[in-house]
Amino acid sequence: MFFVDTIEVSGLGNRVYLAGGEATAVVVDPPRDVDRLIAAAARRGVRIAHVVETHVHNDYVSGGAELARITGAAYLVPAAARIAHPHVPVHDGDRVEVDAAAGLTLRALATPGHTPHHTSYVLEEAGASVAVFTGGSLLIGSVGRPDLVEPRLTRGLARAQYASAHRLAAELPEETPVLPTHGFGSFCSSSRAEGGDTTTIGREKASNGVFTRDVEGFVADLLAGLDDIPAYYAHMGPVNAAGPAPVDLTPPAVADADGIAARLAAGEWVVDLRHRVAFAQGHVAGSLNFEAEGQLATYLAWLIPWGKPVTLLAGSAAQLAAAQRELVRVGIDRPAAAATGSPADWLRPGEAPASFPRATFAELADRRRGAPGFVVLDVRRDAERREGHIEGSFHIPLHTLPRRLDGLPEGEVWVHCAGGMRAAIAASLLDAAGREVVAVDDSFEAAERAGLVVRRS
């Protein structure tokens, strides 16, 4: 008998897999914080004998080398990947034994497209395919994006994605479960997963555009739908190729009120991890709001100048620890300092917390009818904007806002996104810059219900 355990890395929209038999197991595409995987193997009572990478990752720092070092496992990486630390190179068709007693083996299957060296791994029991780990190749209802390596390779990699998906479909039974790493919110996916969170080769053949379109139509649609690339992706591949340092999740140095003020005065980032409602009600002036329960790692790593010191303000020690775990996954290894509590603990004597109002789209509509002359700012991405927007609104995608603040007209700014989280980040940036701001904390679907004019392309 065999097992496959799925371990969610929800902040990044990824998954990692632990698969094996009664004695030994393999881990596929581990994140930086490997203690969760060691604990999962302990619960199963198995030894991690192999750690495999489907590709050199662009969206997070891998924990593969560290996990292999700690457990003594063999570290398998596609042979064509250029990495500078010890590993076992894997070629198309190579097989490794996962658990001898269970008759489990892992077969490498070259599936270039997401990267030139991308490799999927077929889990076989007594020679029969029982699952395929597809990494960033075939996803649920989609494929991994082909534009993260080098712009000049994008079109060729898109065609390779098509060929790789068809190879998987040709070589594997239709009932084979497809187990991708990306596609659950990750920006490595060319589109969002639809139709549930599990799939098979047969289901994908029936519904995935890589199978329902011819190659030219598929490539055209894939390239037309590509969205913005998070800026920190440029740093992930080189870190993974060079070999990440071990993770340090011990608590950071404690920041008192004077220290927080000094860091703000020095131009460092002070990030408040509390929920956007609490932040709007009261916060340290100049601090920025990235919710710990949102896509903290993605958006903080995307917006912060790479390498700039960051101090974290958290509502609790547990929230701070969870945030540290999220951030090491994207290479923000050690906060400069941290504090827990509330603004009352973070402000010097005599200082008052800053605040700004929140609103709904219905209140925005009322404001437009009653007192025009303010600014409506849409911070969604270009692809979202194309689906519909509020007439007369300014459009500055959130990830470009820090360098474009001076381009906004004077006056009160009502800022919105699709659900409220990104608007809160933007509102904190505007508030820190001294602008009068209102954060629209509402679902974008409410804009039409509120009578706002929305144009659709």
Side-chain angles (χ1 to χ4, degrees), residues 244-264:
V247 168
D248 181 1
L249 291 175
T250 59
V254 176
D256 60 14
D258 287 332
I260 292 168
R263 292 185 180 281
L264 284 168

Side-chain angles (χ1 to χ4, degrees), residues 129-324:
S129 301
V130 293
V132 58
F133 302 103
T134 55
S137 182
L138 182 61
L139 311 184
I140 300 176
S142 182
V143 296
R145 54 193 298 175
D147 61 330
L148 302 180
V149 178
E150 157 61 53
R152 291 171 295 182
L153 300 178
T154 298
R155 182 169 293 275
L157 287 176
R159 299 181 75 89
Q161 267 303 38
Y162 185 90
S164 291
H166 283 259
R167 181 185 183 190
L168 288 166
E171 295 194 15
L172 298 174
E174 292 201 349
E175 64 272 17
T176 307
V178 174
L179 304 174
T181 301
H182 304 313
F184 311 96
S186 167
F187 282 87
C188 276
S189 173
S190 60
S191 63
R192 301 287 170 152
E194 297 181 358
D197 61 0
T198 62
T199 193
T200 63
I201 290 291
R203 273 189 60 186
E204 294 309 303
K205 285 173 67 176
S207 59
N208 194 316
V210 75
F211 298 114
T212 61
R213 300 294 309 275
D214 61 35
V215 61
E216 299 303 333
F218 165 77
V219 169
D221 286 349
L222 178 61
L223 298 183
L226 293 175
D227 210 336
D228 302 314
I229 301 172
Y232 73 92
Y233 276 29
H235 303 280
M236 299 296 96
V239 168
N240 287 324
V247 168
D248 181 1
L249 291 175
T250 59
V254 176
D256 60 14
D258 287 332
I260 292 168
R263 292 185 180 281
L264 284 168
E268 298 182 13
W269 276 35
V270 174
V271 171
D272 190 326
L273 301 168
R274 296 175 302 145
H275 191 273
R276 57 185 178 269
V277 174
F279 183 86
Q281 290 172 342
H283 56 270
V284 177
S287 64
L288 305 175
N289 183 213
F290 291 79
E291 293 182 2
E293 289 74 25
Q295 287 181 283
L296 168 66
T298 296
Y299 283 101
L300 180 54
W302 198 340
L303 269 68
I304 192 170
W306 194 252
K308 180 177 280 289
V310 59
T311 293
L312 301 178
L313 306 180
S316 67
Q319 186 179 66
L320 174 61
Q324 280 187 259

